[in-house]
Amino acid sequence: MSVRIQLDNPHAYYTNLDFISGRVILSLTSDENVSAIMVKLEGESRTVLLRPTGAQQNMNPALIDRSRRNQGLAQENHKVLYKVSQVFPNNNPGMGAAYTLRAGQHEYPFRFKIPFNNGCSDPQSQQMGPGSGFGGLGLGGLQQLQYRHVKRTLPPSLTGFPGEAEIRYYVKVTVQRPSLFKENRRSAYGFRFMPIEPPRAPPSTNEVYARRPFAFQAGLANFPRKKSSVFKKAPLALSETAPKGEVDARLPSPAVLTCNEPIPLRIIIRKLNESPEHVYLMSLQVQLIGSTEVRAQDVMRVETNTWVFMSFNGLGIPIGSPTDALRTETVVDNKLWNAIPLPNTIAPSFHACNITRKYEMEVRVGLAYGTPGNIQPQSVVLPLKFAIEIFSGISPPAALLNAMASQPTPTAPIRPSQRPTAPATYDPAYPPQLGPAGTDGMEDAPPSYEDAMADDIAPVDGPRRDYSGVTDENAPGMDEKGNARPGNLKGGPPPPAFNGGGPGGRGSGGVAGGRGAVV
C-alpha cells in the first residue's frame, strides 16, 4: 500500500482565503481493509529551547523532576491551523467499521479554505474527528489547552533555526486500518504560507524620521595632495570653519515596508553653518535587523538576523553648494536604492503564540568635506535607526475591507491611570530614534480579521510578491518522529546526520517541487 497527495494547481505559496484542493491517491497491490481516510490541513508553530544551566536552582521539586524527564528541554507545539476532512467513507461510520478496497488505484478529492486567524486557542478547531475521546478532543487538542495563546493572523512559514523554531504548513493524509497488526499509512505535503497584510492607513504626507547632527573639525587633516605635475596648481588651503549640519532619514508614516518591494526612503542633509567647503556623501549602507523572539514555556531566547539591503563606498557625491543659505535642505537622489527590492527571504512581521518577528532598519550615512579634487580624509558615519513593520504585500480584497468597515467599532479598553512620568531628558531637536525601552507596539496592533467573514469572501485576486520561505517546505521538520533533537539546540552537541541533507534539504534553501513526504 502507498498513499500520496496531489494538489490541484499548486501555488508557489498560499494565503488566507485561498482554497487548497487536490486528491489523495491510494495505490494497492492487493485487497486491503480500510476503516477511514482522513485529510488534515495543518499548521505548526514549534519551539524547543534548552533551559539555562542554573534554572533548576529556583524551581520547585515537581518542576525539577519534570525538567529532568525532559532532559532540560522546554518546548511548545502550537497547532495554529487544524482542519480535518474525512474523504472515505462518506457516511461517517462508527468505531471498528471496515471496508475492503480492491487492488488498484483509488482517488479521493479534498478541499479546504484557509482561515484568517490561528486556531490553537479554540478547542473546537482542535477536534480530532469522530471517534476521538475526551469530548471530541484528542491528545493534541488537550495539549493546546495547556499553553498560553494569542489570537492573531496566521503567521508566515518560517524556518532557518534548525531544532529551535519553525512554522510549517502541511496537508496530511492518514489511511486508518482496523487491524492492530497493521499500522496506519500516512503522507504529508508541505506548502508555504504568506498571510494577507492588515489594512493599511490612508495615504498621507506624514513621515517618521531619525535625525543626527554632524560637524567636521577644521585643521585636522588640512594638507594638499602631492602634485603630479609641475604645471598643476597646488590645492587651496581650507578655511578655519568646517561644515556642520544634520542628516534626516525619513519613511512614510506609519513606518511600513513591503516584502519584495523597494524601500520608500528619503535622506535629507541640512546645512547649519556658513563654510566655504563642500560636503560629500562618501558611503551609504541600509540594513534590516530582524529580531526573532522564541518562547517555550518559561524560557525565552532572541535570535538576530541581518540583511544588508545595499552598501556603497567611495561615492564622492557633492551635497548642495557652499553658497546655499542656512538651513537649506538637500535631498539625496533615491536612484541609489529605489530599484532594489527587499530580499525574498524576509518574512513579514508577525506575532504568534510562541514566536514573534520584529524589525529595525538602520541607515548609515558617511560624509566628508573639502573642495573639488581635495576631499579630506576626515569623515563621519551617522547611524540612523527605525523601528519598522514589514507587510506581506498581499492586499486584502475590497469585499473584506468593506465587511470590516460595516462592523461596529470596538470600544477601546479603559486603561488604568498611570503616574506622571518625568520630563524627557533628550534634546527635542534630536528625538530618540526608537520607542522607550520596554514598549511593545505589537500589543496595540489593530484586531485581526474575523474568520466569520471568510466564508462569503472570494480568494485574493491580484499580484503576489515572491517569497522563498527560507528553506524547502517538504524538508524534514525538527525531527521526523516529532521529538526534539538536543544536538540542534544552542549549546548542545553537534547534530547527528540525517537522510535528506544536501541540496534541497533543511537549511539549504532548495525547493523540492511538491514531493510528498512520508511521516
Side-chain angles (χ1 to χ4, degrees), residues 11 13-20 112-115 459-460 464:
H11 301 347
Y13 59 83
Y14 291 81
T15 190
N16 311 98
L17 299 177
D18 277 351
F19 287 101
I20 182 167
F112 294 101
K113 190 172 187 178
I114 301 177
V460 176
R464 300 188 184 186

Side-chain angles (χ1 to χ4, degrees), residues 433-470:
Q433 290 144 50
L434 294 176
T439 59
D440 186 2
M442 299 297 294
E443 296 304 323
D444 295 327
S448 177
Y449 301 113
E450 291 296 331
D451 285 321
M453 303 177 183
D455 294 337
D456 301 326
I457 298 177
V460 176
D461 183 16
R464 300 188 184 186
R465 277 71 179 173
D466 187 22
Y467 177 55
S468 75
V470 178

Side-chain angles (χ1 to χ4, degrees), residues 484-506:
R485 298 192 306 172
N488 274 352
L489 300 178
K490 300 294 182 181
F498 69 99
N499 294 330
R506 181 175 57 200

Side-chain angles (χ1 to χ4, degrees), residues 14-18 41-45 78-83 113-120 126 150-157 167-169 191 193-198 348-353 355 392 448-449 451:
Y14 291 81
T15 190
N16 311 98
L17 299 177
D18 277 351
L41 179 65
E42 193 168 329
E44 296 179 334
S45 177
H78 290 255
K79 298 286 186 179
V80 295
L81 176 60
Y82 197 92
K83 289 180 173 290
K113 190 172 187 178
I114 301 177
F116 288 122
N117 300 322
N118 62 307
C120 49
Q126 302 296 324
V150 297
K151 181 184 177 183
R152 293 296 178 96
T153 302
L154 284 169
S157 300
I167 301 173
R168 292 178 179 267
Y169 292 86
F191 63 92
F193 176 80
M194 179 80 105
I196 290 177
E197 67 181 28
S349 308
F350 69 90
H351 183 45
C353 304
I355 304 176
S392 67
S448 177
Y449 301 113
D451 285 321

